[in-house]
Amino acid sequence: MAASTRLVLGPLVGAIDQGTGSTRFLVFNAKTAELLSHHQVEIKQKFPKEGWVEQDPREILQSVYECVEKTCEKLTQLSIDITNIKAIGVSNQRETTVVWDKTTGEPLYNAIVWLDLRTQSTVERLLKKIPGRNKNFFKGRTGLPLSTYFSAVKLRWLLDNVEEIRHAVAEGRAMFGTVDSWIIWSLTGGKNGGVHCTDVTNASRTMLFNINSLEWDIELCQFFDVPMSLLPKVRSSSEIYGLMKICPSLKSGALTGVPISGCLGDQSAALVGQMCFQDGQAKNTYGTGCFLLCNTGSKPVVSDHGLLTTVAYQLGRDKPACYALEGSVAIAGAVVRWLRDNLGIVKTTEEVEKLAAEAGTSYGCYFVPAFSGLYAPYWEPSARGIICGLTQFTNKNHIAFAALEAVCFQTREILDAMNQDCGIPLSQLQVDGGMTNNKILMQLQADILCIPVVKPSMPETTALGAAMAAGAADGVGVWSLNPGDLTAVTCERFEPQINPEESEFRYARWKKAVIKSMGWESTDATSNGNGLDK
């Protein structure tokens, strides 16, 4: 085993994949893109009040150290020399907001997760400052509507509500960043000279970043009343940011001195990992949420159908940025976790596929998992989750099936919007992410879209994208991104198996359920922090 492993080795590249549900560290062969080893740790989400979603930044960081340590141990057991790891890339859950003290290295509050809804009253207050209360007022600069989803609103809430953060800002001790910034700063030395940076893809999700000039926008910072001194330096997605420093949490001293040279928000990383480098190429990632991105090339395209405009990647300091249209769905894999953790109808997420297979249909039951309102294409924060069409015949198997179907219907909605904006309908959908292991889900998706769904045999495309960016960076140069050098990917295809009329009938019923989920919560109810009507 060891001898055969050595035969395939050249330079290796590591990738930290810090998602909403878990953290992973994966190591790839830079010449073949083969995944050699990985380790994964689930991350706890805290729900201190209704609509609030937090994570402990210390736990996130500790999970990174644990994953690096364990993966290096596994590589050593395979007789793979970890000194062959020449670079590390970072991919991360986007928008999630961390503020920390640069003198102590400690977070000043829990990370406010992208799904969090506490800022609805902050959004309403900010809308009053905008002519006509137009939530798309800044879309030309940011590509984004004013929403609870993006970092600037979360940071505004922290500055308004956490005295410790206000003090730290006044004393010049506070640093703000998305999860990538927190990880890179900590791994490159933390309070002892850590590098405070982010990349263009993560910056483009803050609402403080001008996606045309690729710089922090002074007027946006003034509008949100955010001191620019808190912000990380914006870099490209592929360059050496700093070197891994010795860390007491890494017992072996593994990877000390290795450059951190790739950084991409998770959805951009998946676009790179799926090798969607041409205009019109698209991918859909099924994680906690669901994210459909379509590469639109070197010019930002503004959507008329509720999609976001975002920076897709900038693979080098002197390279042009590429842009994407994005359809964002808040709840995908999270609905399966909810069936497990909140309803307790399954003990493992894998069981949901089994229950759905037993049902074979939802028998007219529809589930709209608007736990955090509705994202694209509606941007309707007043919506809440509903299950409708229940009868005495309905059982947990039907609800499990309806939950999976909900993921597929939500994807259909954002795909329809994407096709309208782009003018050329996608002929197939490239997919990735943890949920794509669920074959029932993939077949359902093909049936509901009426086009083939194509899944790469190596589903870790998010981590692969971060590794590609890191390995291709100037000064590292172990991974070629030339089209001729990219490894061909083997795929599994799911073809539609139901007739389009049935698909359209089910989709129309879903749309009816979506309308019933809207207007449920008032702003006043959300603003008092407990979600109860006053």
Side-chain angles (χ1 to χ4, degrees):
M1 171 70 187
S4 64
T5 307
R6 280 200 191 98
L7 290 175
V8 298
L9 291 189
L12 312 179
V13 179
I16 294 162
D17 180 6
Q18 205 299 299
T20 317
S22 69
T23 300
R24 287 169 310 165
F25 184 66
L26 307 90
V27 174
F28 296 90
N29 183 323
K31 296 302 177 204
T32 64
E34 179 194 358
L35 174 61
L36 299 174
S37 188
H38 77 286
H39 189 75
Q40 178 168 353
V41 173
E42 198 166 300
I43 296 286
K44 288 191 194 73
Q45 291 184 48
K46 301 165 192 279
F47 307 100
K49 294 184 184 179
E50 187 182 337
W52 292 32
V53 189
E54 297 178 359
Q55 291 178 332
D56 181 349
R58 281 169 294 233
E59 185 192 343
I60 290 173
L61 193 58
Q62 194 51 47
S63 71
V64 170
Y65 291 136
E66 184 180 337
C67 288
V68 169
E69 188 73 33
K70 290 282 197 292
T71 303
C72 287
E73 284 173 13
K74 290 175 186 178
L75 289 170
T76 304
Q77 284 162 12
L78 293 168
S79 300
I80 295 171
D81 186 352
I82 61 172
T83 63
N84 281 335
I85 298 174
K86 302 302 181 192
I88 294 166
V90 175
S91 123
N92 57 288
Q93 52 171 315
R94 304 167 303 167
E95 300 96 17
T96 295
T97 298
V98 187
V99 179
W100 67 94
D101 186 324
K102 66 183 177 189
T103 59
T104 64
E106 291 295 312
L108 292 164
Y109 196 80
N110 276 339
I112 299 184
V113 176
W114 56 277
L115 283 165
D116 185 280
L117 284 180
R118 78 187 67 190
T119 53
Q120 189 50 44
S121 55
T122 309
V123 168
E124 291 294 328
R125 198 178 76 243
L126 291 166
L127 275 171
K128 287 176 186 165
K129 295 165 63 176
I130 293 175
R133 295 172 59 87
N134 176 11
K135 67 183 174 190
N136 292 317
F137 187 72
F138 295 120
K139 216 169 175 190
R141 292 188 206 197
T142 64
L144 313 172
L146 187 57
S147 162
T148 59
Y149 183 16
F150 307 110
S151 313
V153 183
K154 301 177 195 300
L155 180 53
R156 183 66 259 151
W157 186 92
L158 288 166
L159 292 166
D160 288 339
N161 292 281
V162 183
E163 201 170 334
E164 201 178 341
I165 288 179
R166 283 202 300 275
H167 283 319
V169 170
E171 292 168 12
R173 292 183 286 111
M175 283 182 162
F176 152 78
T178 41
V179 170
D180 56 306
S181 299
W182 167 240
I183 289 172
I184 293 171
W185 183 81
S186 300
L187 294 183
T188 55
K191 63 184 180 181
N192 301 311
V195 177
H196 188 212
C197 69
T198 188
D199 91 300
V200 288
T201 69
N202 281 296
S204 76
R205 311 298 291 194
T206 60
M207 277 208 96
L208 300 171
F209 185 71
N210 188 313
I211 61 171
N212 305 296
S213 65
L214 301 180
E215 295 171 328
W216 296 122
D217 190 297
I218 294 170
E219 288 178 10
L220 286 169
C221 290
Q222 286 170 345
F223 175 81
F224 288 102
D225 196 14
V226 166
M228 294 185 81
S229 58
L230 301 185
L231 305 181
K233 185 170 186 221
V234 182
R235 313 274 286 268
S236 78
S237 311
S238 177
E239 61 177 274
I240 295 175
Y241 313 114
L243 306 181
M244 283 275 283
K245 292 289 193 294
I246 293 172
C247 170
S249 299
L250 290 177
K251 296 183 271 300
S252 62
L255 309 189
T256 301
V258 175
I260 299 175
S261 53
C263 180
L264 291 151
D266 51 9
Q267 304 315 318
S268 287
L271 196 73
V272 171
Q274 287 264 30
M275 301 179 203
C276 296
F277 293 126
Q278 305 299 315
D279 288 18
Q281 287 186 307
K283 66 88 210 172
N284 196 36
T285 300
Y286 298 76
T288 297
C290 213
F291 301 90
L292 177 63
L293 269 72
C294 181
N295 188 330
T296 61
S298 58
K299 287 202 170 62
V301 174
V302 177
S303 169
D304 295 322
H305 299 94
L307 302 180
L308 309 177
T309 305
T310 199
V311 180
Y313 51 81
Q314 184 191 13
L315 295 173
R317 236 182 302 200
D318 305 322
K319 300 273 174 29
C322 280
Y323 295 87
L325 278 173
E326 173 174 327
S328 319
V329 169
I331 303 293
V335 75
V336 174
R337 205 165 165 172
W338 182 81
L339 292 176
R340 182 193 72 184
D341 297 345
N342 293 43
L343 287 199
I345 65 172
V346 291
K347 289 194 170 63
T348 66
T349 52
E350 291 73 27
E351 277 179 63
V352 171
E353 182 175 7
K354 188 163 161 278
L355 294 187
E358 283 171 19
T361 170
S362 68
Y363 274 98
C365 170
Y366 288 82
F367 188 164
V368 182
F371 302 155
S372 294
L374 289 167
Y375 282 19
Y378 303 101
W379 298 106
E380 186 48 73
S382 71
R384 287 296 177 271
I386 61 165
I387 302 174
C388 53
L390 298 172
T391 68
Q392 282 184 306
F393 183 66
T394 310
N395 62 34
K396 65 180 181 179
N397 298 7
H398 303 129
I399 290 171
F401 192 96
L404 295 184
E405 225 176 15
V407 175
C408 301
F409 286 133
Q410 290 181 105
T411 298
R412 166 78 189 264
E413 289 186 312
I414 54 178
L415 186 73
D416 284 356
M418 190 79 73
N419 287 340
Q420 287 175 289
D421 277 326
C422 295
I424 303 164
L426 288 178
S427 57
Q428 62 178 35
L429 183 65
Q430 289 177 233
V431 299
D432 58 75
M435 285 191 92
T436 60
N437 293 324
N438 185 324
K439 290 191 187 305
I440 299 265
L441 178 73
M442 292 296 95
Q443 186 56 55
L444 262 177
Q445 188 68 87
D447 290 345
I448 286 165
L449 297 181
C450 303
I451 58 173
V453 167
V454 180
K455 174 195 165 188
S457 53
M458 202 290 290
E460 303 292 357
T461 51
T462 302
L464 178 60
M468 289 164 67
D474 280 353
V476 178
V478 296
W479 204 308
S480 170
L481 297 183
N482 295 329
D485 296 332
L486 295 172
T487 315
V489 177
T490 55
C491 293
E492 188 177 355
R493 282 174 74 85
F494 296 84
E495 301 282 348
Q497 290 180 354
I498 64 172
N499 66 51
E501 291 75 23
E502 186 191 337
S503 180
E504 291 304 320
F505 172 77
R506 282 155 61 180
Y507 185 45
R509 298 268 287 195
W510 156 264
K511 290 276 208 185
K512 197 172 165 185
V514 169
I515 289 162
K516 291 185 185 301
S517 77
M518 292 184 185
W520 191 264
E521 195 64 82
S522 69
T523 306
D524 288 345
T526 322
S527 67
N528 68 16
N530 60 19
L532 300 173
D533 287 326
K534 287 179 179 171

